[in-house]
């Protein structure tokens, strides 16, 4: 199980390879991408900041919880920090398991818990030049501007 915060682009194939295990019958992943709009605003990019030490520990705790709750072999996740352009991967999760149902459920659990618990903040940069901080951990039902 590994969770990392990166300030630079990551080779997702390398993360995926960590999950390729002989005992795994399936793999499920989730990629969170920077989109070009939010709540009616045209977005030009996102800037992420994290309390990195706490984010790392909480992320690892979430992956261990997933292992305890679901029959999975391995899980890997990462969250980016810094400025990301439209289409960049902001968060990535991969889970391998003997069977697909556990992989799907664990992947969903991990992204929901990352969004809810990991201390990462994002600043939305809008096409009109404005920028605004948004609390990521309160975004489950839409963005909440600070």
């Amino acid at each position: 199980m590994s969770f990392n915060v990166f300030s630079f682009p990551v080779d997702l194939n390398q993360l995926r390879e960590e999950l390729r295990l002989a005992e795994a019958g399936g793999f499920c992943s989730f990629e969170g991408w920077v989109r070009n709009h939010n709540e009616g605003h045209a977005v030009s990019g996102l800037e992420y900041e994290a309390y990195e030490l706490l984010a790392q520990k909480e992320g690892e705790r979430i992956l261990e919880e997933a292992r305890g709750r679901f029959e999975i072999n391995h899980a890997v996740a990462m969250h980016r920090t810094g400025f990301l352009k439209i289409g960049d991967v902001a968060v990535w999760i991969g889970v391998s398991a003997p069977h697909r149902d556990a992989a799907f459920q664990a992947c969903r659990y991990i992204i929901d818990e990352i969004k809810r618990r990991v201390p990462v903040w994002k600043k939305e940069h809008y096409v009109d030049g404005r920028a605004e901080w948004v609390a990521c951990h309160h975004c489950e039902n839409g963005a909440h501007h600070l």
Side-chain angles (χ1 to χ4, degrees):
M1 304 291 162
S2 68
F3 180 90
N4 289 291
V5 176
F6 293 109
S7 61
F8 50 86
V10 177
D11 180 356
L12 300 178
N13 288 324
Q14 188 175 353
L15 296 179
R16 187 176 182 269
E17 283 304 309
E18 291 184 43
L19 298 159
R20 187 178 292 277
L21 304 170
E23 63 270 24
F27 162 78
C28 183
S29 68
F30 172 81
E31 293 183 5
W33 300 337
V34 177
R35 67 176 179 262
N36 68 354
H37 66 281
N38 190 39
E39 294 189 333
H41 301 284
V43 174
S44 60
L46 296 177
E47 183 179 346
Y48 287 94
E49 288 189 8
Y51 179 5
E52 198 167 324
L53 184 60
L54 185 57
Q56 179 84 27
K57 287 185 177 185
E58 193 64 20
E60 289 172 358
R61 185 175 296 128
I62 291 166
L63 296 182
E64 286 300 325
E65 289 172 6
R67 185 194 332 236
R69 290 173 177 249
F70 308 100
E71 188 182 337
I72 62 174
N73 298 115
H74 195 47
V76 175
M78 74 89 190
H79 204 297
R80 286 283 315 275
T81 57
F83 187 83
L84 281 71
K85 303 180 311 274
I86 302 302
D88 284 349
V89 175
V91 62
W92 187 90
I93 297 157
V95 177
S96 61
H99 304 286
R100 68 180 179 273
D101 195 40
F104 280 118
Q105 289 180 26
C107 199
R108 176 62 189 251
Y109 175 81
I110 292 167
I111 185 59
D112 287 349
E113 293 304 307
I114 287 173
K115 296 287 282 183
R116 193 171 68 81
R117 294 166 38 192
V118 173
V120 175
W121 300 270
K122 70 178 174 183
K123 187 175 192 178
E124 291 181 339
H125 291 262
Y126 304 110
V127 172
D128 65 8
R130 292 178 307 113
E132 192 170 27
W133 286 100
V134 177
C136 295
H137 55 284
H138 296 289
C139 297
E140 292 178 45
N141 298 316
H144 297 269
H145 300 272
L146 301 175

